[in-house]
Amino acid sequence: MGKGLVPCLAMVLVQFCFAGMNIVTKLALDTGMNPLVMVTYRQIFATLALAPFAYFLERKTLPKITTQIVFQMFLCSVLGATMNQCLYFLGLKHSTPTITCALNNLLPAVTFIMAVPFKMETVGIKKIAGQAKVIGTVVCVTGAMIMSFYKGKLIEIGHSAIHWAYAQNISASSSGSEVSFIGPVLVIASVVAWSGWFIVQSKMNAEFTAPYTTTAVMCFMASFECAIVAAFFEHSPKEWSLTSNIRLIGALYNGVMGSAVTFFLMSWCLEKRGPLYVSAFSPLLLVIVAIFGWAVLDEKVYVGSAVGSSLIVLGLYTVLWGKEKEMDPDMDDIAEKKTIEDIEMPPVHMNGKFNN
């Protein structure tokens, strides 16, 4: 497990970035900001943040860019940035953060199902590693559902000392969006698009290893794609203004942390560990959001949240253990060989001394 520590820490950081993005974005949307405008600014700021790193760190080692690679980058921009983010933010607007985070935890299951036909993941249900991946995925999703839809009794843990009154005032002063069935449907569609990005990105990483460049190009393409979509639905120049502090902070945070940092780290982890490993960390988002919600927004913690969080952590560890065991198949052979060598006794003379 030691060599998997860096990818693990990278994916935990990704979930912290996404947790902050959910909170800041919801506050910006509560001020009336169009989700499609937010996504467009997110791609623009992400491109500006990544371009210098791509140029100075990879320009001398950049692999040959073929027509196939350009097409794969385009698919990544459509699936991983434009479709995923537009659908997710629209779903967030027409739903609640709890429901969107819960449905987002379908990602490991959807990715696992989509990766199997492409032979990027194997079920291997007869092996312990395969059983661990399947069971762990089910436990993760179950924990996410319990955490989202089962409330239970209130757990008295006191009030946070860093409660953010400003955030509560924004939410209280906003009229809010009506919760309807279209919200969850849009979030589920975003999960499917995100899983598709995992598949395409993994295929591209096998031939083109340049995480800064691929992420920068993806965000650059998505900037135009999102701008076209947003301009079609939002014609008022006033709605594109970033004079509001929370809108500017939301756009900058989403671009730098929500896209530039997270997509680079995920691209790197996809190359090292594969799509299922990356998607398996998404359930941690619910746990982090719950903690941030209590600490910053003074939200209450209930039994459902505690039970769901425990199942999520348990399921996540099970999936990672199965993936680690699957990626090191020789470990079983080594252990078995060592056991056989241990039980083999050297020949002995009748006088009890070893025979050389």
Side-chain angles (χ1 to χ4, degrees), residues 296-351:
V296 179
L297 304 179
D298 197 28
E299 294 183 356
K300 307 302 181 182
V301 178
Y302 295 88
V303 174
S305 299
V307 174
S309 300
S310 300
L311 289 176
I312 287 171
V313 174
L314 176 62
L316 174 61
Y317 180 82
T318 304
V319 172
L320 297 182
W321 180 85
K323 186 63 178 177
E324 187 75 16
K325 190 176 183 63
E326 182 185 63
M327 295 186 69
D328 294 318
D330 294 336
M331 292 302 295
D332 291 338
D333 297 336
I334 294 174
E336 181 180 356
K337 182 179 179 181
K338 185 176 181 180
T339 302
I340 294 176
E341 291 177 349
D342 289 342
I343 62 176
E344 285 182 352
M345 298 297 295
V348 182
H349 278 307
M350 293 301 294
N351 59 6

Side-chain angles (χ1 to χ4, degrees), residues 238-262:
K238 181 180 178 181
E239 297 301 324
W240 289 78
S241 174
L242 293 178
T243 54
S244 172
N245 289 335
I246 191 61
R247 293 190 182 190
L248 178 60
I249 293 173
L252 285 172
Y253 183 94
N254 285 341
V256 178
M257 303 301 295
S259 283
V261 174
T262 56

Side-chain angles (χ1 to χ4, degrees), residues 29 34 46 51 59 71 77 79 81 124 139 176 200 204 211 244 252 262 270 274 284 288 291 319 331:
L29 296 181
N34 190 310
R59 60 190 178 93
F71 179 68
S77 68
L79 294 172
V139 172
V200 177
M204 182 172 62
S244 172
L252 285 172
T262 56
L270 280 170
L284 280 179
I288 299 172
I291 296 175
V319 172
M331 292 302 295

